Amino acid sequence: MNWKKALDSMQPYKPGRSIDEAKRIYGLDDVVKLASNENPYGCAPSVRDYLTSAAIQHELYPDGYAGGLRKKLAEKHGVDETSLLFGNGSDEIIMIISRALLGKGVNTVMATPTFPQYAHNARIEGAEIREVPLKDGHHDLEGFLGAIDGETAVAWLCNPNNPTGNLIPSDTLKGFLEQVSENILVVLDEAYFEYITGSEHIDSISWLEKFPNVIILRTFSKAYGLAAFRVGYAIGDPEVISNLNKVRSPFNNNSLGLAVAEKALEDEAFIEHCRNLNHEQRLRFTKYASDNKLHLFDSETNFVLIAVPGDADDASEKLLQQGFIIRSGNALGTPGYIRVTIGSEEQTSNFLKAFDTLLQSEGSAV
């Protein structure tokens, strides 16, 4: 078969170990998954109640317009309904943007390391990838401006960034947007928006009127606790959204996913509760790293990137043997670190005890 040449050097996405697999391999009774930045508190009670009685007409296609969810999100964010695009998770929206704008003869600019799906999709489309190294975990926006030229089609900003967790200061971000040509689509991937606690952060939706070349990605997979339903959305200028909709599959969101996402929007108190609990446990990681003289990147997300003694793969394996599934930084472009989802108070306490054992085994305990 005549496969695209770009596929020769690529690998399929490789998920981490599942809880059941880890239990079987290591003979464990309890395993905690802290690898995929899921919400340890699940979803809102109203969503759980809805799922016990939801009646979906399985023989009918989903609402391709996502009318109910579209109306509620438009009201929530104060935007027109035509400003919204829905995807099977924000992953699909990244793919839609790449398919619509990227190809041979154009380039795309992104940080490194950052969310790998930007480069993954750009490579499939045959676009030139220009990666700008992070500075202390932060986007180097001056470096972005230096990398952008007349052939740049898309600039990707993961904010807060995955895997470091760092947030671009709002004034810095706005200054960058003011210098980018209106012919370039700037993607603000805000998958972890609901976890931000910084008081000076400005909601980027308020900038859309001034910057019609900006599109914002958000998701129900993280703070809303609906990762299994795969619902993401984008907010942008209606003309941008209209063109992206030409690439979108007609029924890309399933009926149940749309329904539970709509229900989840009714319980903002749950999101605030999760944000507060997450912040409390994030502070515990900050203190632990300081007490043990370990580098920890500033995070405004529900995960932390923390230094480990020795090799990150070895550290991940030792923590897995103690019942914790995390992500090795070797796979994320951050050797010497592991990325850990911030769990509940009990999960954090048990994880830090396991980390103590790791430090002791390496002779690194303070």
Side-chain angles (χ1 to χ4, degrees):
M1 295 184 182
N2 191 21
W3 301 105
K4 286 184 174 182
K5 293 299 182 184
L7 301 184
D8 293 345
S9 60
M10 299 176 68
Q11 297 292 329
Y13 176 75
K14 185 178 180 181
R17 294 193 188 278
S18 68
I19 291 175
D20 289 340
E21 183 183 15
K23 286 181 177 180
R24 184 179 70 254
I25 293 174
Y26 297 96
L28 299 168
D29 294 324
D30 295 308
V31 171
V32 178
K33 184 185 175 191
L34 300 176
S36 300
N37 308 332
E38 296 138 332
N39 188 340
Y41 309 106
C43 59
S46 59
V47 173
R48 290 196 293 270
D49 292 342
Y50 174 79
L51 287 171
T52 63
S53 59
I56 299 295
Q57 290 183 273
H58 306 112
E59 74 282 8
L60 300 181
Y61 283 109
D63 175 7
Y65 184 69
L69 181 58
R70 182 181 298 273
K71 184 176 185 298
K72 285 191 174 180
L73 275 174
E75 292 173 351
K76 171 181 170 63
H77 295 306
V79 299
D80 191 87
E81 291 186 14
T82 59
S83 297
L84 292 164
L85 172 75
F86 294 91
N88 194 251
S90 7
D91 285 331
E92 189 193 19
I93 300 178
I94 293 168
M95 183 173 66
I96 289 171
I97 292 170
S98 300
R99 188 177 181 190
L101 286 165
L102 299 181
K104 292 183 179 180
V106 302
N107 66 70
T108 180
V109 179
M110 64 199 68
T112 182
T114 192
F115 188 51
Q117 289 302 303
Y118 313 144
H120 180 87
N121 282 282
R123 191 166 289 115
I124 291 172
E125 300 301 334
E128 178 192 350
I129 299 167
R130 297 183 176 179
E131 296 180 307
V132 180
L134 298 174
K135 286 188 174 180
D136 299 322
H138 288 275
H139 282 72
D140 175 9
L141 296 186
E142 287 297 323
F144 266 63
L145 292 173
I148 288 171
D149 62 18
E151 304 303 323
T152 303
V154 182
W156 306 87
L157 301 177
C158 188
N159 193 39
N161 187 51
N162 180 5
T164 57
N166 296 75
L167 180 68
I168 303 172
S170 292
D171 56 347
T172 303
L173 177 56
K174 189 175 182 181
F176 169 76
L177 296 176
E178 289 171 341
Q179 298 178 72
V180 176
S181 168
E182 61 182 15
N183 296 323
I184 297 171
L185 183 67
V186 179
V187 182
L188 302 182
D189 187 349
E190 299 182 347
Y192 300 95
F193 172 80
E194 288 80 10
Y195 286 112
I196 296 171
T197 57
S199 59
E200 296 181 358
H201 181 67
I202 297 173
D203 188 340
S204 54
I205 293 175
S206 64
W207 297 340
L208 288 177
E209 187 173 347
K210 181 177 181 180
F211 303 110
N213 62 320
V214 168
I215 189 169
I216 299 163
L217 311 189
R218 294 190 183 170
T219 183
F220 286 90
S221 295
K222 302 303 181 184
Y224 284 94
L226 301 177
F229 295 96
R230 310 306 297 128
V231 181
Y233 64 99
I235 313 168
D237 182 82
E239 183 178 350
V240 172
I241 297 298
S242 177
N243 277 297
L244 294 176
N245 260 319
K246 297 172 186 177
V247 180
R248 180 183 64 86
S249 299
F251 304 107
N252 57 329
N253 288 106
N254 69 77
S255 297
L256 188 56
L258 292 173
V260 296
E262 186 178 342
K263 198 69 181 176
L265 288 175
E266 298 175 4
D267 197 344
E268 287 300 317
F270 172 75
I271 299 300
E272 183 178 0
H273 180 63
C274 291
R275 179 168 49 247
N276 292 336
L277 292 176
N278 180 77
H279 183 60
E280 290 174 4
Q281 300 311 309
R282 194 164 63 200
L283 291 175
R284 291 182 66 191
F285 272 96
T286 301
K287 183 178 186 304
Y288 182 88
S290 176
D291 290 346
N292 288 278
K293 295 181 170 54
L294 298 168
H295 182 251
L296 180 86
F297 287 92
D298 293 333
S299 176
E300 284 283 352
T301 66
N302 70 330
F303 63 83
V304 294
L305 189 67
I306 186 171
V308 293
D311 181 72
D313 285 348
D314 291 341
S316 300
E317 177 67 18
K318 290 175 181 177
L319 290 167
L320 183 55
Q321 291 170 4
Q322 297 187 69
F324 293 95
I325 305 173
I326 52 87
R327 286 297 301 273
S328 167
N330 290 352
L332 302 173
T334 55
Y337 292 81
I338 58 172
R339 193 189 68 190
V340 186
T341 302
I342 298 170
S344 65
E345 181 178 6
E346 180 182 8
Q347 289 170 341
T348 300
S349 295
N350 291 335
F351 175 81
L352 294 179
K353 289 178 183 176
F355 206 100
D356 282 340
T357 303
L358 177 68
L359 293 178
Q360 291 164 5
S361 68
E362 296 288 339
S364 303
V366 175

